[in-house]
Amino acid sequence: MKNRYQELINFVLANASPNIQYRVRKEMLKESINTSEMLSLQSQILNLPKVKKAFACQRENGFFGSVIHGVYFDGFDSTVDLLKRNGVELTDPRMIKAQEALINWKDYKKDHFYKAGNAMDEHGRDGFRAIWAEQLVELGADESLSQITEQIEIALNAFRVALEYSSPDDFSKKATFRGEPRRYYIKGGTFPAANHIRILEKTLSWRTEKNLAMVKSSYAHCKEIMKDYHDGIIYVN
């Protein structure tokens, strides 16, 4: 089995594109990014057409695209995801500039995601501020930044509050959306959702023994009260 694994690794290193080779060497073989082979691969990655296109959409102030949450080359989050998946290092000056731009981001009221995201944020439902915080983490920002600590606490609170629920009726109500059964959050209601989980997954500062035990307990509780419910929940009151 071990020999087969090594054969597969050798095949990938001999035949794969530079981005895949780079990530295999770095993430699986734990090779330093400062070796001559890795530096050469990083140079090749930066010359990939999709990587060059992503950097071409970076504004003068460092912001990628025109909105925080959107498609490749227009949405900041999707573009950062593309660059990281292709192996671009956070030490690249343009990635550092992107982090600085996001820390000082002031244009969110012009963002087309702002209206929906703001409505979600108003009730702690992981809106655009959660995406903002997550992208700062993705770019290696310090977890002590207020944008990040705020979202960590909101996520933890979603798990804490969920422990008090005994059914979906405690935080949502039945309705229909385009003829399909759905639920709407009641005013002030919240429940652990994807962005809550992602910010906790990607950060470490909150991981005390007490918090870890609470999240684990709440997660199991949430699964239990939602086990017979399979329709969506709409993020409006």
Side-chain angles (χ1 to χ4, degrees), residues 143-178:
E143 286 185 30
S144 65
L145 283 173
S146 60
Q147 297 99 316
I148 297 173
T149 58
E150 175 191 60
Q151 293 305 311
I152 289 174
E153 183 52 40
I154 286 173
L156 289 173
N157 186 63
F159 278 96
R160 288 192 199 99
V161 171
L163 285 166
E164 302 173 8
Y165 301 147
S166 58
S167 81
D169 294 330
D170 291 332
F171 61 91
S172 63
K173 61 183 179 181
K174 292 180 179 180
T176 58
F177 180 71
R178 296 176 180 172

Side-chain angles (χ1 to χ4, degrees), residues 2-193:
K2 186 175 182 180
N3 289 339
R4 178 58 177 162
Y5 176 79
Q6 190 58 53
E7 287 175 7
L8 291 171
I9 293 291
N10 292 340
F11 179 84
V12 169
L13 295 181
N15 296 280
S17 56
N19 47 359
I20 295 175
Q21 290 186 52
Y22 188 88
R23 292 194 61 181
V24 168
R25 286 176 176 272
K26 178 183 177 181
E27 297 168 29
M28 299 179 70
L29 301 180
K30 307 302 180 185
E31 185 171 339
S32 168
I33 64 173
N34 296 314
T35 66
S36 59
E37 293 86 352
M38 292 291 276
L39 291 171
S40 175
L41 285 170
Q42 182 68 197
S43 179
Q44 293 175 59
I45 288 169
L46 296 178
N47 279 303
L48 290 173
K50 57 188 170 183
V51 170
K52 293 173 74 173
K53 184 176 180 179
F55 278 126
C57 79
Q58 189 171 30
R59 297 187 206 171
E60 187 176 345
N61 69 355
F63 196 92
F64 285 115
S66 60
V67 292
I68 188 71
H69 182 49
V71 298
Y72 293 138
F73 315 120
D74 184 52
F76 189 102
D77 56 352
S78 296
T79 305
V80 167
D81 178 64
L82 183 151
L83 291 168
K84 290 190 67 177
R85 282 192 293 106
N86 279 280
V88 175
E89 290 292 341
L90 295 181
T91 52
D92 185 288
R94 292 164 293 186
M95 299 295 272
I96 294 172
K97 190 174 182 180
Q99 183 196 129
E100 293 170 350
L102 199 57
I103 290 173
N104 299 301
W105 188 43
K106 304 294 183 185
D107 291 340
Y108 49 81
K109 289 188 178 181
K110 301 176 184 178
D111 195 304
H112 67 62
F113 186 66
Y114 176 74
K115 291 183 179 179
N118 187 55
M120 292 161 68
D121 284 325
E122 184 179 352
H123 300 286
R125 298 179 193 148
D126 64 355
F128 86 90
R129 291 184 181 275
I131 295 172
W132 186 3
E134 182 186 353
Q135 288 304 298
L136 285 168
V137 173
E138 287 285 354
L139 288 167
D142 193 312
E143 286 185 30
S144 65
L145 283 173
S146 60
Q147 297 99 316
I148 297 173
T149 58
E150 175 191 60
Q151 293 305 311
I152 289 174
E153 183 52 40
I154 286 173
L156 289 173
N157 186 63
F159 278 96
R160 288 192 199 99
V161 171
L163 285 166
E164 302 173 8
Y165 301 147
S166 58
S167 81
D169 294 330
D170 291 332
F171 61 91
S172 63
K173 61 183 179 181
K174 292 180 179 180
T176 58
F177 180 71
R178 296 176 180 172
E180 297 294 327
R182 291 289 186 272
R183 279 183 171 269
Y184 287 80
Y185 279 102
I186 61 176
K187 189 170 184 179
T190 187
F191 195 75

Side-chain angles (χ1 to χ4, degrees), residues 198-211:
R198 277 198 287 267
I199 194 67
L200 296 182
E201 173 201 357
K202 296 175 181 180
T203 54
L204 300 173
S205 58
W206 64 274
R207 299 189 189 194
T208 63
E209 186 175 338
K210 181 179 178 180
N211 281 339

